[in-house]
Amino acid sequence: MHKMIPLLAALALAGPALAKDDFAKSILDAHNRERAAVHVPSLVWDESLAADAAVWAKHLVDTRRFEHSSFEMRRGEGENLWEGTRGGFAPSEMVGAWAAEKTYFDGGAFRTGVTAGHVTGHYTQMIWRTTKAVGCATVSGRDVDVLVCRYSPVGNLVGEAPY
């Protein structure tokens, strides 16, 4: 079980690293705007989820692969991945790419993360009602930035609606 940390406590853990504070706040705010739009409770920032996300993001950069970690590796955590040009995107833009999938989501039960041929599983994980916490990390490679977000409890349960 991950310790859920309110945003202010998470920012205090970051110490003087203002960039880390801004990163966490930007990511959390972007998620919670989407959640508010569908009337589900806000998420809290979780440093242990962020640490798990950092390990996987580093693995992706080191191996130059772009794939989800195994379910066994995640221990009940949900996962969203993003990759883009190094230094080209703010955290809110990275998360915004997932949020943009709402255009294609039909509001029904989760099936496969794809609705009418469009990926929607990143968005539904962001807004999954029973998810309580998020933690994310970016790692930069030679020419890419990789963002990994981890969620607890996991969402995107087949046959269930996100809200």
Side-chain angles (χ1 to χ4, degrees):
M1 173 73 50
H2 292 280
K3 182 177 178 187
M4 293 185 199
I5 303 171
L7 177 60
L8 293 178
L11 297 180
L13 290 175
L18 184 59
K20 184 175 180 183
D21 295 354
D22 290 344
F23 172 79
K25 184 175 181 348
S26 178
I27 294 283
L28 191 60
D29 287 352
H31 278 80
N32 285 334
R33 273 191 302 277
E34 294 303 321
R35 293 175 70 83
V38 294
H39 312 290
V40 297
S42 295
L43 297 175
V44 296
W45 188 261
D46 184 309
E47 281 297 325
S48 59
L49 289 171
D52 290 348
V55 169
W56 191 247
K58 182 172 180 352
H59 170 79
L60 294 176
V61 167
D62 289 349
T63 61
R64 297 183 184 186
R65 299 183 70 156
F66 190 71
E67 62 191 3
H68 283 285
S69 60
S70 69
F71 290 111
E72 295 78 24
M73 185 178 273
R74 282 186 253 152
R75 306 174 321 274
E77 299 170 359
E79 181 176 76
N80 275 349
L81 307 177
W82 179 93
E83 181 180 76
T85 303
R86 183 179 177 149
F89 298 87
S92 60
E93 293 173 302
M94 297 171 186
V95 175
W98 301 330
E101 295 172 3
K102 69 184 164 191
T103 301
Y104 305 108
F105 180 61
D106 63 11
F110 183 81
R111 291 179 292 283
T112 63
V114 177
T115 303
H118 298 280
V119 173
T120 57
H122 303 102
Y123 171 69
T124 54
Q125 176 59 83
M126 288 176 66
I127 60 155
W128 203 266
R129 175 177 292 285
T130 58
T131 297
K132 306 291 184 211
V134 64
C136 307
T138 58
V139 173
S140 295
R142 195 169 0 142
D143 54 356
V144 299
D145 288 330
V146 173
L147 169 69
V148 176
C149 285
R150 292 283 181 90
Y151 302 85
S152 182
V154 66
N156 288 348
L157 303 174
V158 173
E160 295 184 22
Y163 50 83

